[in-house]
Amino acid sequence: MTVETEHIGLDDIIGQQKFIETMKVSIAASRMRGEILPHILLVGPRGSGKSTLVKAIANEIGVNIQTISFSALRTPSDLEPILTRISEGDIVFVENFDSVKQSHADILTPAMDSFSMDIVVGKGAYAKSIHLDLPRFTVIATMDSEKKIPSKLRGCFSIYWRMLDYTKDELQELSKRFALDSNVEITDEAVVEIVNHAEGSYRKLTTIMKRSRDFSMIKSDGIIDIDIVKQVFETL
């Protein structure tokens, strides 16, 4: 997952292979039926690669991403301008989904379920409700951990995936790809040491690799070897 995310596709992803296969089938089936991709819920700790997966899916389909963070919304009505500017087939990337409130769910649930929403125009005696049909879109929501969300909103998601720990082989491939993308070299001994220290975590691996890259560029002509790794561990 260390390649340029602007151009990354599903075949570029390392790890989460069962989910990747599920997405390939879902995308192909949706295209055959002329439908949009079903809504997706991704659960996993920060730094586990959820955002990279969202970008890869969008690139695979060839659509834009509209981003929403519930923790940044001041009022439920802030959802309205976001949902009304969506284009047909777009992905709505909802971060911090565990921060959803019932007032948000009241707007988002019908938007996801029937691609429509009701907005109130005017105030007091002059207020009136207007029903709007929305373009079809796919919500991909991410949560750091499994938390309770409104049941009707939870039912809008057809695909659920909990991010898995990465195997040592996957982490080794990721570390080598990171070094290649960073224009530095890495020894096999250094790779093994870094992977063991990462303990299955993509985020830990990325942190170590970024620090190792910097140390190698300054202290060893761009070569990450076991000595550089040991120096990095002393600073973490």
Side-chain angles (χ1 to χ4, degrees):
M1 293 186 183
T2 55
V3 295
E4 290 290 335
T5 54
E6 293 299 323
H7 308 289
I8 195 171
L10 291 176
D11 287 334
D12 299 312
I13 298 292
I14 297 172
Q16 316 300 327
Q17 288 307 302
K18 288 185 178 180
F19 176 73
I20 299 302
E21 291 304 315
T22 297
M23 291 313 307
K24 287 182 177 180
V25 171
S26 296
I27 290 171
S30 297
R31 284 173 174 164
M32 289 179 65
R33 296 193 305 268
E35 299 176 357
I36 62 165
L37 196 65
H39 302 305
I40 303 165
L41 181 59
L42 301 176
V43 178
R46 292 184 182 182
S48 58
K50 301 187 297 296
S51 298
T52 303
L53 283 174
V54 175
K55 293 173 184 176
I57 293 169
N59 290 338
E60 201 76 23
I61 304 173
V63 297
N64 297 318
I65 298 175
Q66 303 284 348
T67 302
I68 300 174
S69 176
F70 281 128
S71 60
L73 294 179
R74 290 177 296 178
T75 65
S77 60
D78 289 341
L79 276 170
E80 294 175 0
I82 298 173
L83 295 175
T84 54
R85 68 168 179 258
I86 295 170
S87 298
E88 184 78 14
D90 275 358
I91 286 177
V92 178
F93 176 24
V94 185
E95 300 176 294
N96 306 116
F97 199 66
D98 45 331
S99 300
V100 64
K101 299 177 181 177
Q102 186 61 53
S103 54
H104 295 138
D106 291 341
I107 295 176
L108 194 57
T109 300
M112 292 174 62
D113 189 44
S114 60
F115 304 109
S116 65
M117 64 184 301
D118 295 309
I119 62 173
V120 177
V121 178
K123 296 181 180 180
Y126 299 98
K128 61 179 181 179
S129 178
I130 298 178
H131 182 79
L132 296 178
D133 291 323
L134 301 171
R136 298 176 304 164
F137 60 91
T138 296
V139 168
I140 305 182
T142 61
M143 301 167 59
D144 292 343
S145 60
E146 184 69 52
K147 293 184 179 179
K148 187 176 181 180
I149 58 177
S151 58
K152 289 185 178 180
L153 183 58
R154 175 66 178 85
C156 293
F157 293 96
S158 300
I159 299 174
Y160 170 92
W161 180 254
R162 175 178 288 279
M163 302 293 286
L164 302 174
D165 284 345
Y166 291 80
T167 66
K168 287 189 175 182
D169 287 343
E170 291 167 349
L171 289 175
Q172 286 180 8
E173 189 173 349
L174 283 165
S175 61
K176 291 176 181 178
R177 182 181 288 185
F178 186 101
L180 180 64
D181 292 343
S182 301
N183 295 315
V184 297
E185 298 179 27
I186 187 168
T187 66
D188 291 341
E189 188 179 16
V191 168
V192 171
E193 192 69 19
I194 290 172
V195 167
N196 287 337
H197 198 80
E199 300 177 325
S201 169
Y202 175 71
R203 186 178 191 179
K204 286 184 180 180
L205 180 83
T206 302
T207 298
I208 297 169
M209 287 301 302
K210 287 180 178 179
R211 191 71 62 84
S212 299
R213 172 202 58 199
D214 294 346
F215 269 61
S216 71
M217 292 173 67
I218 301 301
K219 297 190 173 187
S220 62
D221 296 325
I223 300 174
I224 301 174
D225 57 21
I226 192 65
D227 290 332
I228 288 294
V229 173
K230 288 180 178 178
Q231 293 179 56
V232 168
F233 288 164
E234 291 175 358
T235 68
L236 290 176

